[in-house]
Amino acid sequence: MTESLVTLEGRVGDPTAKWDALKGSVQDDATHRFAEVQDAWLDLMWTVDAYRIARVLPAGFTDIGVFNRGKGNWFAELICLLLQNRTHHRIAARQKVSGFSQGHQIDVAWPARGEDPLVCCETKVTGAPAFGSTPARGAMSDFSNRRKELKFAATDLKLYRRQEQTKIGHWDVWRRSEPPKAYFLWAARLEPGKDHIEKLVREARALIDTYLDGAGLFAWTPAGTGDGYEHVELAHGERVTSLDDVLYRISSEIESLVDDKGQPPPPVKPSKFAVDLDASEQ
């Protein structure tokens, strides 16, 4: 028998109310470390997944797809809020940005502008429990497509300034020096017996070694008590690090780029564009 909305809400709470409380605490307390709110995040994820398992939509939602995408949207917004508190600069969430060959919607961008941002970060939330006859989605489900998206976006954004200039030189030298800096922040639910954090670390590390400037990972798995999620620790010494380490790196990058008045450099706009973006996106 399907659990009723009233019963489910009484048992695990309302996910929107929990998100509003989490977001409000970050803003009110000027929180800048994910570690300070990770327990609230895990509780929110447990609540969202409880509705998925029960196949019940929470109050205020009429579309299951919109509700399921809420995880990713909330994570991107949370990262932006934490970075804003670290840097005291406005960080754009889901900013539309012009690339070399097309426009991109970037989860985290600074400066908050549509052309020539200097720091870009893609965020992903992966993994979900089984429900009914639908199997669990592993943390690596469809990651081959996500990997391609990350590589393409990072390269296309870096090519924006070059346009008709085709010479790049040594790939590693060029990608590390050309703006924008490209980061990946990954939040993942590990399915017991199926997902292993070492594999996620290898995937993220491969992206750092070839395309990205940094990657952070936060993973969780069902607690043994059966009534929540627990954090899965990263091994020490990995190039893939905690979310807070990468947030610190990004904020340091931002502070190194502003002038003595705290202003970012103006955007560099190419004199000629290889692709008419307006026409290509119609």
Side-chain angles (χ1 to χ4, degrees):
M1 181 181 295
T2 302
E3 188 171 6
S4 72
L5 173 59
V6 172
T7 303
L8 182 60
E9 189 172 302
R11 180 168 64 85
V12 301
D14 174 48
T16 302
K18 288 188 175 184
W19 163 244
D20 289 341
L22 171 55
K23 180 170 66 172
S25 71
V26 170
Q27 293 171 318
D28 294 343
D29 300 335
T31 304
H32 65 271
R33 297 182 65 247
F34 183 82
E36 296 178 50
V37 296
Q38 73 175 40
D39 288 344
W41 174 259
L42 290 176
D43 180 56
L44 175 62
M45 293 299 96
W46 175 260
T47 302
V48 170
D49 286 343
Y51 280 80
R52 172 184 171 89
I53 293 169
R55 289 176 280 180
V56 173
L57 276 173
F61 287 91
T62 58
D63 184 274
I64 189 65
V66 173
F67 175 59
N68 288 335
R69 288 192 296 273
K71 286 183 180 180
N73 293 336
W74 287 342
F75 185 56
E77 188 172 350
L78 176 59
I79 293 300
C80 283
L81 291 173
L82 294 171
L83 270 175
Q84 285 182 166
N85 289 340
R86 279 182 176 269
T87 63
H88 307 293
H89 292 281
R90 190 169 80 83
I91 310 294
R94 296 181 292 280
Q95 172 75 51
K96 291 184 178 179
V97 176
S98 296
F100 170 74
S101 66
Q102 67 174 62
H104 301 268
Q105 182 168 283
I106 302 301
D107 294 322
V108 180
W110 178 88
R113 61 195 188 197
E115 60 180 356
D116 196 39
L118 302 176
V119 176
C120 291
C121 179
E122 285 295 289
T123 65
K124 299 290 182 187
V125 179
T126 62
F131 66 94
S133 61
T134 301
R137 283 186 61 83
M140 295 295 300
S141 293
D142 198 35
F143 196 76
S144 60
N145 289 330
R146 297 172 188 268
R147 185 193 306 119
K148 291 174 186 176
E149 293 168 0
L150 288 164
K151 290 179 177 181
F152 172 67
T155 305
D156 202 58
L157 290 168
K158 287 178 181 290
L159 285 169
Y160 171 78
R161 288 187 176 187
R162 301 192 68 82
Q163 299 298 325
E164 73 276 8
Q165 301 175 38
T166 56
K167 185 176 180 180
I168 289 177
H170 191 282
W171 172 253
D172 275 341
V173 173
W174 177 78
R175 75 177 179 91
R176 294 185 188 280
S177 61
E178 195 76 8
K181 292 291 185 180
Y183 296 92
F184 175 38
L185 294 180
W186 191 359
R189 177 192 182 276
L190 306 184
E191 178 67 12
K194 179 178 180 181
D195 291 320
H196 303 281
I197 195 166
E198 294 80 10
K199 186 171 183 179
L200 275 67
V201 168
R202 287 197 300 271
E203 286 286 346
R205 189 170 59 221
L207 287 167
I208 298 172
D209 290 341
T210 54
Y211 284 86
L212 304 182
D213 295 288
L217 174 62
F218 180 79
W220 61 90
T221 195
T225 55
D227 60 355
Y229 287 137
E230 61 185 13
H231 177 213
V232 178
E233 295 285 349
L234 288 165
H236 290 294
E238 291 286 0
R239 290 186 60 199
V240 177
T241 57
S242 69
L243 297 185
D244 282 327
D245 185 73
V246 178
L247 289 173
Y248 179 37
R249 181 174 174 181
I250 294 172
S251 64
S252 298
E253 188 75 45
I254 290 172
E255 293 302 332
S256 73
L257 292 170
V258 298
D259 61 23
D260 56 3
K261 295 181 179 178
Q263 297 301 310
V268 173
K269 189 168 185 176
S271 58
K272 181 181 178 181
F273 290 88
V275 176
D276 183 348
L277 295 184
D278 292 335
S280 66
E281 295 180 2
Q282 288 180 354

